[in-house]
Amino acid sequence: MKRQLIIATAAAAALVAGGTVTAVAVSNGGSGSARSGAPVTAQPAAHDAGSGTAQVQDGRSGVRVQDDDANGREDIREARAAKVTASGAAAAALKAVPGTVAGLDLDADRPGLVWEADVLGKDGKWHEVTLDAGNARVLNQHVDHDEDDDARERAALQDARTGAGAAARTAAASHGTVTSVELDDDRAKAVWEVETVTKDGKEHKLLVDPQSGKLSAVPAHDADADADNDDDGADD
């Protein structure tokens, strides 16, 4: 039988203070039964994601890492610190926003380590979901109004038989920890581009076919171009 939760008036003060309150469960029929001693942590109400307003819990990840790439080992530090895998992050993002994951990125640019997930929702809108890399809790969620609406990318996502989570699992099976997944539709044929880091700190960039799920290495000329771009960025 469905039960609705009625919280005492004192909950308002507890909510502001972040405290706990005692709840009484009441049936649809209106008869109340006390669940004595059952503490319920008061949490701020989340806003409606469909309105474009951010849904925020406390906005902070429980995983702390040094945000410093001075020695070029930022990716391996993040990979070692993350307790949630890329595929786990994809699943958590889809629980928050039903649809199709278009990209995942392990990021420590904000306080703590998070997964940033881009989702094309079933509502036809682009959503950005930020997840704690320690437990997959949703820290922030909003509609991305600045996202360029790419009809080609939408079509590729809708046609894909292998999703971002599956592409991540395929790459992780033989190439270490996945740190990012992105649908690259700039090629003649759209492909999942997956970046990984192995335990020895070596980075890999791999391709996963959205149709067959087949894994392959990035062509040498593409890898060289990416390396040149990284060097240019480091000089700026």
Side-chain angles (χ1 to χ4, degrees), residues 127-174:
H127 297 257
E128 185 172 299
V129 183
T130 302
L131 303 154
D132 191 318
N135 55 22
R137 182 167 58 98
V138 176
L139 302 177
N140 187 286
Q141 175 184 326
H142 67 273
V143 174
D144 191 351
H145 296 289
D146 296 329
E147 180 74 28
D148 292 335
D149 197 355
D150 187 340
R152 179 183 169 91
E153 183 177 10
R154 283 177 177 265
L157 285 171
Q158 292 168 355
D159 291 343
R161 296 179 180 177
T162 300
R169 286 192 295 272
T170 297
S174 56

Side-chain angles (χ1 to χ4, degrees), residues 13-109:
L15 181 61
V16 174
T20 58
V21 297
T22 300
V24 179
V26 179
S27 69
N28 290 340
S31 61
S33 61
R35 299 176 65 181
S36 57
V40 177
T41 302
Q43 299 229 354
H47 298 290
D48 181 9
S51 67
T53 304
Q55 276 193 331
V56 181
Q57 303 301 322
D58 62 12
R60 290 180 177 273
S61 169
V63 181
R64 297 288 187 261
V65 293
Q66 181 182 358
D67 182 17
D68 179 12
D69 198 25
N71 59 7
R73 296 181 63 81
E74 180 181 28
D75 285 345
I76 190 170
R77 281 199 303 271
E78 293 174 359
R80 287 174 175 173
K83 294 180 174 60
V84 177
T85 63
S87 59
L94 291 178
K95 284 184 179 180
V97 181
T100 306
V101 175
L104 297 162
D105 186 39
L106 187 61
D107 186 13
D109 290 342

